[in-house]
Amino acid sequence: MNIQDLIHKKTWKELQGYLAMSDPPGIILSGITGVGKYEIGLYIASKILGCPEKDLSKNPDFYITSSNNTVSSEDIKDLVEFSWRTSIKGKKVILINNAHTITVTTQNKLLKILEDREDNILILLSDSNTLIPTIISRCCHIQIQPPDGDIMRRFLKQKK
């Protein structure tokens, strides 16, 4: 099964619409815990940067927050530094996992990047609907729907 087979049809259609934009804004991927927001963020990053997901960690135009549980002000500081660097192939992608852990003060620092971002920087936020309204208003928002039961059964059967 490929990723398209595992994503709810409505969500897949929204993702394809987003990827078809010539200059997409930042994107917020939200949904219940475990629905695959992080994995979908990696998928989007690989499509925007034109490299396989397995090679994203080696791509100098890709940045992912280092923390596994909480996004710190240090992560945002590193992100700001990354945003100032010149891109190698024209686009830069930033994936902020667990964006719901960012404090309001740190979210305001992130807001500055979203407001002043250059056209070649794309920010992906994996969240559970807890970002401040000014960040939400500057991003496209996709609510990740869980896959329907048939899809999940086929996937689990395939994985045994």
Side-chain angles (χ1 to χ4, degrees), residues 89-135:
K89 293 189 177 179
K91 286 276 187 192
K92 292 191 290 188
V93 176
I94 297 167
L95 175 57
I96 301 175
N97 194 27
N98 296 317
H100 60 279
T101 64
I102 305 173
T103 65
V104 172
T105 303
T106 305
Q107 284 186 49
N108 283 313
K109 291 176 187 176
L110 176 61
L111 178 62
K112 184 76 174 145
I113 298 168
L114 285 166
E115 289 175 336
D116 298 341
R117 80 174 181 95
E118 295 188 26
D119 293 340
N120 69 332
I121 298 175
L122 180 66
I123 299 177
L124 308 169
L125 299 141
S126 171
D127 180 53
S128 300
N129 297 320
T130 58
L131 295 169
I132 58 176
T134 46
I135 287 179

Side-chain angles (χ1 to χ4, degrees), residues 71-82:
V71 179
S72 67
S73 58
E74 190 65 31
D75 285 318
I76 301 301
K77 181 182 169 193
D78 292 344
L79 185 154
V80 169
E81 186 178 306
F82 170 81

Side-chain angles (χ1 to χ4, degrees), residues 60-75:
D61 290 333
F62 179 68
Y63 177 88
I64 186 167
T65 51
S66 61
S67 31
N68 293 328
N69 298 321
T70 304
V71 179
S72 67
S73 58
E74 190 65 31
D75 285 318

